[in-house]
Amino acid sequence: MEIEVLKSKVHRAVITEANLNYVGSLTLDEDLMEAANMIEYEKIQVVNVNNGSRIETYLIKGKRGSGVCCLNGPAARQGAVGDIVIIISYARIDFEKAKSFQPSVVFPNENNRL
């Protein structure tokens, strides 16, 4: 049997931009993606601490070291610059292997840097 578990999390990133006129997604600093073991186009859940919204979208690689965390397209309606978000990805894994699996969790500072 397989179950879905937390694979990766960027805990309390700060939204730096909201671009309504973009195709859609979340642009995230490549440093944060790498540290959290996330890849471009990976499906994610974005949980907004400020307003309680939860959306599903995918990642786009942002400039390394830029601190960017940009809600794009319709997602831009779910947060404002300065809001705190938690970015989560999940993975399906064998139940027994899941018992010892350790997710990658990143805690960026207020400038979205490691």
Side-chain angles (χ1 to χ4, degrees), residues 42-62:
E42 182 172 356
K43 180 181 177 181
I44 57 166
Q45 184 175 55
V46 182
V47 180
N48 188 319
V49 173
N50 294 77
N51 66 22
S53 75
R54 299 175 78 92
I55 59 170
E56 287 185 346
T57 189
Y58 61 93
L59 280 173
I60 290 181
K61 194 183 311 180

Side-chain angles (χ1 to χ4, degrees), residues 56-108:
E56 287 185 346
T57 189
Y58 61 93
L59 280 173
I60 290 181
K61 194 183 311 180
K63 183 178 176 187
R64 186 178 293 279
S66 67
V68 67
C69 180
C70 179
L71 291 170
N72 296 307
R77 297 271 191 214
Q78 301 302 313
V81 172
D83 282 1
I84 305 296
V85 293
I86 301 167
I87 304 160
I88 306 164
S89 70
Y90 302 93
R92 297 193 65 72
I93 189 169
D94 176 78
F95 181 77
E96 290 303 318
K97 289 182 180 177
K99 291 177 180 179
S100 61
F101 177 78
Q102 291 297 310
S104 299
V105 180
V106 174
F107 298 90

Side-chain angles (χ1 to χ4, degrees), residues 11-64:
H11 190 78
R12 298 183 65 87
V14 178
I15 296 174
T16 59
E17 301 172 50
N19 184 352
L20 185 60
N21 296 312
Y22 190 81
V23 177
S25 67
L26 178 92
T27 303
L28 188 63
D29 183 322
E30 188 175 4
D31 283 341
L32 293 177
M33 289 175 59
E34 190 175 274
N37 194 30
M38 294 176 166
I39 61 170
E40 191 166 39
Y41 307 119
E42 182 172 356
K43 180 181 177 181
I44 57 166
Q45 184 175 55
V46 182
V47 180
N48 188 319
V49 173
N50 294 77
N51 66 22
S53 75
R54 299 175 78 92
I55 59 170
E56 287 185 346
T57 189
Y58 61 93
L59 280 173
I60 290 181
K61 194 183 311 180
K63 183 178 176 187
R64 186 178 293 279

